[in-house]
Amino acid sequence: MNLCQRCNKREAKYVVGGRKLCEMCARDEIVKRVRKEIHNSKMFNYNDKVAILAPNNMDQIAELLIHIIGKACYTCNLKIDKVSVQFDYQDINEYIWSLIMEAKNLKEYSVKVLPFPSNFYLAYLLYSVTMKNYSYLNYVTSSKTLNDGTKIFIPLYSIPLSELSAFGIINEISFNDDVFNSIFSWVNTQLAENYELFHTFITSTSLFNYPKCKSCDAFIESGEYCARCKRTLASPSPPY
């Protein structure tokens, strides 16, 4: 039996941050990592209302985040709600944009949480290079404040599903975008054992630096707004 490399008492079942850990230590390491991101983001106040956005395919991850953020900010008095969202989308960029618009609409919450793990962003990097569309690569970060003051927190951006599995079996996640879905599935099956890749790929996103949409912060080639925000703002009754 391989012992946990942290407590040296219980059986090691998971790899977190390159170390073989038992379930208890693996969970604690993830909570500590999220606690550090909360501290560094400087977004949270003692009794903030926090919304964890939960589209249907990410509902399980959103449920985990209620527990993880609650444990990570145990000295706070946060009110954490899971906010279920449903929308139609044609591609993964529209999916991300729709979640950002939902975040902007939730005015009663101080901080809005996106449930994307590292697997999602690694797949999105490969997708973006393939499609030559880098719209939301600048969301590979722990936190972001939009021009209207919307605070978005992304605590799992460097935490892969294999590490999250210390909290229980993660159901398969799929998307309506066939190209992205294929890449996401390939990342989860073919790269699953390459633990460090899910942490180190993040530095590659710094190579992309374009003007940003004034509304959703997407990378754009020119102008002030991305095509989706421009179309929405031109509507007689924009949703935000």
Side-chain angles (χ1 to χ4, degrees):
M1 179 177 74
N2 292 324
L3 290 178
C4 172
Q5 293 179 332
R6 180 182 167 188
C7 70
N8 204 35
K9 296 177 181 178
R10 294 174 289 269
E11 181 181 1
K13 296 181 179 180
Y14 306 95
V15 177
V16 177
R19 293 197 296 171
K20 296 180 180 179
L21 303 178
C22 66
E23 181 180 284
M24 186 178 297
C25 289
R27 291 182 177 188
D28 188 58
E29 283 293 320
I30 291 170
V31 169
K32 283 173 60 179
R33 198 181 301 170
V34 172
R35 183 180 299 132
K36 181 179 179 181
E37 298 294 357
I38 288 173
H39 175 76
N40 290 343
S41 73
K42 298 184 179 359
M43 283 190 165
F44 292 78
N45 293 312
Y46 177 73
N47 58 353
D48 275 345
K49 291 184 66 177
V50 178
I52 299 177
L53 277 73
N56 288 343
N57 61 338
M58 303 289 274
D59 187 77
Q60 185 184 15
I61 305 297
E63 285 284 351
L64 286 179
L65 278 170
I66 294 175
H67 171 74
I68 293 171
I69 292 176
K71 294 274 287 184
C73 203
Y74 65 93
T75 59
C76 302
N77 187 36
L78 300 178
K79 185 182 186 306
I80 306 172
D81 293 331
K82 183 183 74 173
V83 179
S84 298
V85 293
Q86 296 185 30
F87 45 78
D88 296 322
Y89 62 95
Q90 301 300 315
D91 60 64
I92 200 65
N93 284 311
E94 187 174 359
Y95 173 84
I96 299 172
W97 179 82
S98 297
L99 278 176
I100 295 168
M101 293 302 106
E102 291 286 349
K104 289 166 72 73
N105 283 334
L106 294 170
K107 307 290 188 185
E108 68 271 31
Y109 292 94
S110 301
V111 181
K112 296 58 169 301
V113 179
L114 296 183
F116 299 141
S118 177
N119 306 59
F120 178 89
Y121 283 122
L122 176 54
Y124 185 71
L125 172 62
L126 298 174
Y127 175 93
S128 297
V129 172
T130 300
M131 306 299 286
K132 294 181 171 56
N133 184 335
Y134 315 112
S135 295
Y136 296 104
L137 275 178
N138 63 329
Y139 274 75
V140 187
T141 180
S142 65
S143 59
K144 182 173 288 291
T145 301
L146 304 184
N147 283 341
D148 66 354
T150 299
K151 296 179 181 179
I152 295 178
F153 186 55
I154 314 169
L156 304 179
Y157 81 106
S158 67
I159 299 176
L161 294 173
S162 59
E163 295 182 354
L164 278 181
S165 65
F167 290 93
I169 296 173
I170 306 295
N171 297 329
E172 184 177 348
I173 301 170
S174 61
F175 301 85
N176 290 343
D177 184 323
D178 290 339
V179 176
F180 181 81
N181 216 37
S182 296
I183 295 173
F184 185 70
S185 177
W186 180 81
V187 164
N188 293 335
T189 55
Q190 301 303 311
L191 302 181
E193 299 301 319
N194 196 338
Y195 307 111
E196 290 304 313
L197 182 59
F198 288 97
H199 300 287
T200 57
F201 85 91
I202 294 167
T203 58
S204 302
T205 62
S206 62
L207 299 174
F208 301 88
N209 188 19
Y210 299 93
K212 297 175 184 177
C213 172
K214 290 176 65 176
S215 175
C216 71
D217 216 40
F219 282 142
I220 53 178
E221 292 185 1
S222 60
E224 294 186 326
Y225 296 98
C226 68
R228 290 184 180 87
C229 287
K230 191 182 298 182
R231 185 170 59 248
T232 302
L233 290 167
S235 169
S237 54
Y240 59 92

